[in-house]
């Protein structure tokens, strides 16, 4: 018998009677092979269960390098810069647009009503479009809608087409707002990044009035040419999104969500895959869960009121100072001071918000806003009013990113994207409804009503935040905690039976493979 034959017989004997005691090397190979088989099996399962329409969206990709990830973050900031640029442009242009189209306060306010239609459509369809096409395609679609809208406006189109263009613009901004905010919540140190991203949004709103006021002063009969500048920015945004993100889904950008450990009100725990959670794996199921969660509606109401008052002040402050305080065209620069305050607040108040927490900080900022609104109402100094508007911007600034972070605290992983899309769209809807209401009332009673309107709105903001805090506690008790199960490092020094607190687990919501490219 040859050596080879003898070896085969020995192996056959062992296989027939008892298992071979593996060596260290053999054991390592077996473990590696088992891990590889599990990885392939999971990848196939993801492809089978994925909602994405196109096959290339379902493929696993190597996560971005540090350099590419930094470029991605910069493009997210660019998207928000354009959103801020758009929000602040109407205020200084409003009187000139009324003259060009020969319309009153009520009629010109229909542009915000058209925006509302676009925002609402984006809020309802966001879950379905995102599940079908993913971040890379949906964000590009939103930016392209803005390009189309500005293309219709920039040549001085008839007023009905001008209004339709604003509806397209609202739809585009709503899609982008949902996509960018949702992706940012999945980054490491997401709270700080959210504040900084919206500070960039405020920076865009600060720059915009300088440019639009220049058009008002130098080409008052053709102020619509300002939108050619906006079109150029929108085109640059589309190009940046395509080149940098390359149509990637959020899973191809930051990786799949980790398994979550959920603890219900009875104290029992279960492991849940947030990517394929029961009925919520279908888009309709996700939307149903979102729309049947009370805390979501109160956050949406708060954001509707907050964004509405933010844009109302930015849109009507110039007209208020001209008509009620004897200002001139230079009053348009007050909008820059106001939105500049938003930028400062979203950066300077980060440590304040962290120290006192999201809930108490929002009560404090809202109370100070209410006080400043009353001061402007009863103080007739144009300089004093301008300073107060700027300070109001500081205290308004942190509120939007606070709500985005509250969504992550209250909702499980598979619902966060759709929820952010819904509440963000409702916020944008507020930016359409409330300026329209202010314009409609001003047409009958005069622009002086801006301040009592602001005071009443801030009271409603404080009450809506009270509803958010109450339903948030109730929701946490009824639904239990949802924390992602962290990856256990081989070098972890904790004992096998030592249990981490939910807070420490929550700090490890993402493994290093997902968040390293976006590390601060």
């Amino acid at each position: 018998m040859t050596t080879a034959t003898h070896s085969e017989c020995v192996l056959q004997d062992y296989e027939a009677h008892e298992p071979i005691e593996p060596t260290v090397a053999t054991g390592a190979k077996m473990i590696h092979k088992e891990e590889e088989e599990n990885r392939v099996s999971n990848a196939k399962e993801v492809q089978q269960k994925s909602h994405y329409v196109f096959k290339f969206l379902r493929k696993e990709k190597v996560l971005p390098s540090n350099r590419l990830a930094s470029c991605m973050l910069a493009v997210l900031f660019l998207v928000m810069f354009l959103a801020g640029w758009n929000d602040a442009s109407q205020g200084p242009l409003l009187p000139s647009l009324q003259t060009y189209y020969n319309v009153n306060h009520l009629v010109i306010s229909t542009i915000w009503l058209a925006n509302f239609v676009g925002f609402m459509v984006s809020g309802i369809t966001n879950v379905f479009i995102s599940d079908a096409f993913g971040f890379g395609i949906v964000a590009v679609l939103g930016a392209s809608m803005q390009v189309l809208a500005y293309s219709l406006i920039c040549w001085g189109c008839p007023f009905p087409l001008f209004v339709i263009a604003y509806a397209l613009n609202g739809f585009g901004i709503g899609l982008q707002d949902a996509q960018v905010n949702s992706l940012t919540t999945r980054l490491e140190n997401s709270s700080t990044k959210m504040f900084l991203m919206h500070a960039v949004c405020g920076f865009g709103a600060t720059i915009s009035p300088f440019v639009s006021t220049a058009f008002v002063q130098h080409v008052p009969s053709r102020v619509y040419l300002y939108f050619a500048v906006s079109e150029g920015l929108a085109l640059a945004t589309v190009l940046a999104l395509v080149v940098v993100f390359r149509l990637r889904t959020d899973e191809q950008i930051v990786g799949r969500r980790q398994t979550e450990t959920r603890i219900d009100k009875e104290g029992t725990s279960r492991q849940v895959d947030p990517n394929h959670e029961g009925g919520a794996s279908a888009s309709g199921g996700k939307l149903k869960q979102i729309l049947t969660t009370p805390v979501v509606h109160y956050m949406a109401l708060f954001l509707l009121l907050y964004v509405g008052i933010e844009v109302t002040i930015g849109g009507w402050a110039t007209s208020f100072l001209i008509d009620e305080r004897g200002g001139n065209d230079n009053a348009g620069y007050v909008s820059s001071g106001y939105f500049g305050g938003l930028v400062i607040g979203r950066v300077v108040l980060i440590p304040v918000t962290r120290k006192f927490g999201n809930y108490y900080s929002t009560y404090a900022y809202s109370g100070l806003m209410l006080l400043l609104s009353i001061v402007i109402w009863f103080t007739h100094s144009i300089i004093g009013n301008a300073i107060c508007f700027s300070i109001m911007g500081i205290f308004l600034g942190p509120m939007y990113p606070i709500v985005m972070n509250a969504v992550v605290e209250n909702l499980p992983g598979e619902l966060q994207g759709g929820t952010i899309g819904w509440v963000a769209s409702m916020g944008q809807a507020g930016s359409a409804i409330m300026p329209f209401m202010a314009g409609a009332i001003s047409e009958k009673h005069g622009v002086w009503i801006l301040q009592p309107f602001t005071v009443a709105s801030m009271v409603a903001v404080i009450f809506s935040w009270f509803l958010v805090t109450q339903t948030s506690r109730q929701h946490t008790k009824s639904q239990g905690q949802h924390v992602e199960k962290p990856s256990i490092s081989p070098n972890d020094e904790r004992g096998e039976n030592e249990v981490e607190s939910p807070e420490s687990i929550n700090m490890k919501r993402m493994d290093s493979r997902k968040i390293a490219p976006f590390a601060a």
Side-chain angles (χ1 to χ4, degrees), residues 22-212:
T23 63
V24 174
T26 305
K29 290 180 180 178
M30 292 172 64
I31 293 172
H32 178 73
K33 183 177 180 181
E34 183 179 352
E35 290 178 347
E36 182 66 20
E37 289 175 350
N38 289 337
R39 189 189 69 78
V40 173
S41 175
N42 291 336
K44 289 180 179 179
E45 184 181 1
V46 170
Q47 286 194 0
Q48 291 172 354
K49 293 184 178 182
S50 174
H51 293 166
Y52 298 128
V53 172
F54 300 117
K55 187 175 181 180
F56 73 90
L57 299 176
R58 299 193 293 268
K59 292 181 179 178
E60 285 193 4
K61 290 187 177 182
V62 177
L63 296 184
S65 65
N66 290 338
R67 180 178 297 178
L68 178 58
S70 298
C71 293
M72 288 179 172
L73 191 59
V75 174
L76 296 181
F77 284 6
L78 175 61
V79 172
M80 295 309 296
F81 177 89
L82 180 60
W85 174 281
N86 177 82
D87 288 345
S89 63
Q90 289 94 344
L93 294 175
L94 210 57
S96 297
L97 287 173
Q98 286 181 251
T99 301
Y100 176 75
Y101 284 112
N102 192 26
V103 294
N104 57 29
H105 289 319
L106 178 61
V107 176
I108 196 65
S109 296
T110 56
I111 63 175
W112 283 299
L113 199 60
N115 257 345
F116 167 76
V117 173
F119 294 140
M120 288 303 298
V121 172
S122 72
I124 294 171
T125 61
N126 174 67
V127 173
F128 299 93
I129 298 175
S130 296
D131 283 347
F133 300 105
F135 172 88
I137 294 178
V138 179
V140 170
L141 173 63
S144 299
M145 288 293 100
Q146 285 191 272
V147 172
L148 177 59
Y150 294 138
S151 298
L152 294 175
I153 297 173
C154 68
W155 53 274
C157 63
F159 188 74
L161 188 58
F162 183 78
V163 174
I164 292 172
Y166 262 80
L168 296 174
N169 191 39
F171 177 70
I173 293 176
L175 287 182
Q176 291 181 92
D177 202 20
Q179 296 300 312
V180 171
N181 281 288
S182 178
L183 181 60
T184 304
T185 61
R186 299 190 60 191
L187 309 182
E188 183 188 29
N189 201 12
S190 60
S191 176
T192 300
K193 286 186 172 66
M194 186 72 74
F195 273 89
L196 294 177
M197 184 176 72
H198 285 280
V200 172
C201 177
F203 180 66
T206 304
I207 299 297
S208 175
F210 282 102
V211 180
S212 56

Side-chain angles (χ1 to χ4, degrees), residues 325 368-381 384-385 388 392 451 455:
R325 299 295 184 259
L368 291 168
M369 272 287 300
L370 178 60
L371 179 62
L372 287 165
S373 299
I374 295 173
V375 170
I376 294 175
W377 187 358
F378 293 103
T379 303
H380 295 275
S381 167
N385 286 181
C388 286
M392 287 176 72
Q451 288 319 115
V455 169

